[in-house]
Amino acid sequence: MNTTTPIHRWRAFAVLAVAFFMTIVDLTIVNVALPTIGRDLRFSPSGLQWVVTAYGLAFGGLLLLGGRSADLLGRRRIFLLGLAVFTGASLACGLARSDTVLIVMRGVQGTGAAIVLPAALSIVMTMFPEGADRNKALGIWGGLGAGGATVGLLTGGLLTRYAGWEYIFFLNVPVGLAALALAPRIVPESRLRTDHRRYDPLGALTVTGGLLLLVYTISTAPQDGWATPKTIGSLVASGVLLASFVLVEARAQAPLLPLRLLRSRPVAGANIVGLLLGGGFFAFIFIGTLYMQQVLHYSALMAGVAWLAASLTSVALAGPSQLLVTRIGAGPVMTAGMTLIAGGTAWATAAGVHGSFWADLAGPFFVAGAGTAFTFIPISIAGLTGVAERDAGLASGLLNTTQQLGGAIGVAIASTVAASRTATLAATGQSGAAALTGGFRAAFWVCTVIAALAVPVGLVIPRRTKAQPQPVTPTDTAALDAAAR
């Protein structure tokens, strides 16, 4: 490539990063607006959760398929397709005037995000070879991922209060249109080059069906009950589908998920830690927001502002995190990050009925926020270490699938524990606020345990991993050079 390539690479990275950040923000931006949305569109109490669940269900269930599609059909092409779907669905969400339309469009929006995210990350991987440049790019990427959830809460609170809940969706439209206009000009195209492109329809069917059913079951179990025939039957069915997927992949000529990827210790370790990170930290955001709004009576805006403590800390430490990964390896940094998250959530268990932000939440938020900087970034780096270019989209989709699946599991378990403990305390005669606080404390302990489980996993990831050459065909190189010029 010519000497101007790095400049163009970073321009392309900026477009991809903005699109990625937009999809992550949308995971949480609606949370603080739910009461307002429920009143305006006359949602039933049980139906309101589907504004969040429909997005997460499609997002988590389709990431693997989106990632492999990017590898086979062209990463920029699939990125643009997903971005168009996401932007159009965002406009439709803002225009929705019924609960059914909003829920359906949130599902479509999640589908667009599941296509955008792995395609974008795999393009980043193909633009930057393993080493300092990729670590720098993934450091920024991880910082955006760590801060996106809390920025979503703040933005949702601001827009709901001063503009209307519709604008949490309308905000995506100009950003998406700008990215759609810029991407064809500055983002390089790449794909798996082969004379005989084979697909794995049975693998795609079993893994997508299994993940969708698993995320759906975990999301609805707190309302339906974990021991009900519906929940147990759905969990068994999802287990059968996922087990079938593993058997299919072991025999397929062109598997959707080559099992050799999981034999890499950095890749397997990063995905396990990603699962536990999603379970611990995303549940912490969910329970912490409920505590602020239901016990401390914070408004949506105040709750969003409070989470800035975690978000800004994470962004501030993103640079040191990627430098440490370059110097000592992803494993030790990841271990330190998950230890900080576990420490922050454990500290939050001391929050009381008459608590305040500075006395009870600021410390836990700063510590957990620091932990996300030292976890999201090494996970992104380790999860792509040694991965051949032909599997870039797939590895990216897998990495994000485990985090989203972990988040769904963590939120479901934490909310179930909180509800059960609250009911038990209320039955003993405690006040509503005291019972809620006791329930949230128990849920914070759940977050702590989940995060702590990741600490030994990070210890077994190699301190340093030798970079592996990424096979690039002459056609791929020509495409990248043309895009850079």
Side-chain angles (χ1 to χ4, degrees):
M1 298 185 186
N2 59 42
T3 57
T4 65
T5 298
I7 298 175
H8 286 277
R9 286 192 306 182
W10 287 108
R11 288 180 185 173
F13 176 81
V15 174
L16 297 169
V18 167
F20 162 65
F21 188 68
M22 184 170 60
T23 63
I24 296 301
V25 165
D26 251 67
L27 284 168
T28 58
I29 195 170
V30 303
N31 285 10
V32 293
L34 286 178
T36 305
I37 293 173
R39 287 193 301 270
D40 284 0
L41 300 186
R42 296 180 176 84
F43 270 89
S44 66
S46 61
L48 191 58
Q49 65 153 330
W50 282 99
V51 178
V52 175
T53 301
Y55 185 89
L57 182 64
F59 192 17
L62 297 173
L63 275 164
L64 268 182
L65 188 57
R68 198 49 169 171
S69 298
D71 289 335
L72 293 172
L73 302 176
R75 298 182 180 103
R76 185 180 66 188
R77 177 185 298 175
I78 294 300
F79 170 76
L80 291 172
L81 171 64
L83 193 58
V85 171
F86 183 86
T87 304
S90 297
L91 178 61
C93 285
L95 296 174
R97 289 297 173 263
S98 74
D99 52 356
T100 302
V101 171
L102 180 59
I103 290 171
V104 171
M105 287 300 104
R106 281 287 284 171
V108 176
Q109 200 183 24
T111 300
I115 299 171
V116 166
L117 199 153
L121 185 54
S122 62
I123 295 172
V124 171
M125 179 182 166
T126 59
M127 288 194 301
F128 297 94
E130 284 187 26
D133 277 352
R134 181 186 288 184
N135 289 354
K136 181 179 179 181
L138 292 180
I140 298 171
W141 196 271
L144 292 173
T150 48
V151 169
L153 292 171
L154 173 63
T155 305
L158 285 169
L159 290 175
T160 301
R161 177 167 180 175
Y162 294 110
W165 64 263
E166 297 89 348
Y167 286 85
I168 65 178
F169 301 113
F170 290 152
L171 180 65
N172 295 328
V173 177
V175 177
L177 291 175
L180 283 168
L182 291 171
R185 297 162 52 192
I186 63 175
V187 174
E189 178 64 287
S190 65
R191 73 180 73 183
L192 175 61
R193 300 291 180 174
T194 176
D195 293 333
H196 302 286
R197 189 174 299 147
R198 296 185 178 93
Y199 298 92
D200 180 17
L202 186 57
L205 180 65
T206 52
V207 72
T208 303
L211 287 174
L212 285 171
L213 185 57
L214 180 60
V215 174
Y216 167 79
T217 305
I218 291 170
S219 299
T220 57
Q223 289 75 40
D224 296 337
W226 287 94
T228 61
K230 176 187 174 183
T231 298
I232 294 172
S234 296
L235 287 174
V236 170
S238 66
V240 169
L241 284 170
L242 293 175
S244 300
F245 170 69
V246 174
L247 294 175
V248 168
E249 299 309 277
R251 293 169 171 79
Q253 286 187 333
L256 177 68
L257 175 60
L259 299 182
R260 57 182 159 72
L261 272 182
L262 301 179
R263 288 195 289 269
S264 165
R265 195 189 299 177
V267 173
N271 278 280
I272 293 171
V273 175
L275 181 78
L276 296 170
L277 168 65
F281 186 67
F282 291 163
F284 182 49
I285 291 177
F286 180 79
I287 297 299
T289 302
L290 289 180
Y291 168 74
M292 287 187 285
Q293 291 187 321
Q294 295 182 8
V295 176
L296 303 185
H297 303 294
Y298 281 20
S299 66
L301 178 58
M302 289 175 64
V305 170
W307 278 112
L308 274 180
S311 181
L312 294 179
T313 302
S314 181
V315 171
L317 294 175
S321 176
Q322 65 91 8
L323 289 174
L324 283 172
V325 173
T326 301
R327 292 180 180 178
I328 66 174
V333 180
M334 199 182 300
T335 298
M338 292 306 299
T339 301
L340 286 170
I341 291 175
T345 55
W347 190 352
T349 62
V353 177
H354 303 292
S356 68
F357 173 74
W358 290 110
D360 298 275
L361 297 177
F365 285 6
F366 283 125
V367 172
T372 60
F374 292 111
T375 307
F376 275 100
I377 292 167
I379 283 175
S380 298
I381 294 171
L384 298 174
T385 296
V387 175
E389 184 185 343
R390 66 179 180 273
D391 296 323
L394 177 60
S396 304
L398 179 63
L399 200 57
N400 288 284
T401 296
T402 53
Q403 291 181 28
Q404 298 309 317
L405 183 60
I409 294 172
V411 168
I413 294 175
S415 60
T416 300
V417 169
S420 175
R421 181 61 177 162
T422 298
T424 299
L425 293 174
T428 64
Q430 293 198 23
S431 67
L436 281 170
T437 302
F440 294 145
R441 282 176 172 172
F444 286 142
W445 279 119
V446 170
C447 299
T448 302
V449 171
I450 294 174
L453 289 173
V455 172
V457 180
L459 293 174
V460 303
I461 295 177
R463 290 175 63 87
R464 294 182 183 274
T465 305
K466 183 178 179 181
Q468 312 236 350
Q470 301 299 309
V472 182
T473 68
T475 309
D476 285 333
T477 304
L480 288 170
D481 282 339
R485 289 194 291 270

